Amino acid sequence: MAKASVLRLWLLALLVFLLTGCGFQLRGQLPLQLFDGVYLQADRHSELAAILRQRLQSHQITLLNQPEQDSPSVYLLHDSLERRTLSLFPNGQVAEYELIYQVRYSIQTPGAEAQMFEFELFRDYQDDPNRALAKARELELMLAELREQAAQRILRQLGRISA
């Protein structure tokens, strides 16, 4: 029994060494600390930009007031939400929507040309006209979740480019 626990310990140590040796990093760790600050340009009232600002500040990254040559710049060009009808009730009212959140942005890193990125996030949303207030709140929560996922995706891309 002692040999089995020693063997497990050795296997665990080997696994740890293999993971650290290959450069594995947890997804939450971003190599953004290489830069003193990041410039973020977006529409003043953009909720996605507000979330990005919060996430950058939570990583102790200074938000710059203007672009600088030695710091990356993120330009949020467009974010929008579309609804597509998926199904109808027998009376003709919409029963289910597909929400499509589209984001287009560019990242300019020091010494490189700006790179354009675009992605879409999808969610299904079931509508019920008898519960309009509850469904409106559910839609707000779903949009907040989509924006949060979009912000995390932009930060991961910035981290990949910066590394």
Side-chain angles (χ1 to χ4, degrees):
M1 193 140 201
K3 287 184 180 183
S5 61
V6 170
L7 180 62
R8 287 183 191 151
L9 184 62
W10 277 105
L11 287 174
L12 180 64
L14 178 64
L15 180 64
V16 169
F17 287 126
L18 287 174
L19 283 176
T20 56
C22 74
F24 173 79
Q25 289 183 343
L26 291 174
R27 203 172 199 187
Q29 298 174 345
L30 298 173
L32 297 176
Q33 287 74 20
L34 300 172
F35 301 106
D36 294 331
V38 171
Y39 174 70
L40 176 63
Q41 180 183 10
D43 182 28
R44 180 182 305 227
H45 304 291
S46 171
E47 293 178 40
L48 176 59
I51 293 171
L52 270 173
R53 286 185 186 97
Q54 289 173 347
R55 296 297 163 260
L56 287 168
Q57 290 171 343
S58 72
H59 286 284
Q60 287 83 37
I61 297 172
T62 305
L63 290 169
L64 304 173
N65 294 327
Q66 59 187 11
E68 295 182 3
Q69 286 184 342
D70 58 343
S71 296
S73 299
V74 177
Y75 301 94
L76 287 179
L77 305 173
H78 177 74
D79 68 320
S80 65
L81 180 73
E82 291 183 20
R83 290 189 323 182
R84 183 175 20 212
T85 302
L86 290 180
S87 64
L88 299 172
F89 287 119
N91 64 3
Q93 289 182 317
V94 176
E96 188 176 16
Y97 291 106
E98 179 178 47
L99 301 175
I100 306 164
Y101 187 60
Q102 300 171 331
V103 179
R104 190 176 31 184
Y105 64 100
S106 88
I107 298 176
Q108 171 77 44
T109 55
E113 291 187 29
Q115 296 182 24
M116 295 289 295
F117 299 95
E118 188 171 346
F119 63 87
E120 294 178 337
L121 299 173
F122 300 91
R123 290 289 177 280
D124 290 347
Y125 170 71
Q126 294 181 352
D127 198 11
D128 184 356
N130 297 328
R131 297 185 179 146
L133 188 58
K135 286 300 183 176
R137 178 67 179 138
E138 181 183 350
L139 181 60
E140 287 175 22
L141 291 172
M142 210 175 285
L143 291 176
E145 178 185 311
L146 286 170
R147 287 186 183 106
E148 184 67 40
Q149 288 179 349
Q152 290 301 329
R153 190 167 179 170
I154 292 169
L155 288 177
R156 281 194 307 272
Q157 187 66 44
L158 180 60
R160 269 189 231 114
I161 292 175
S162 304

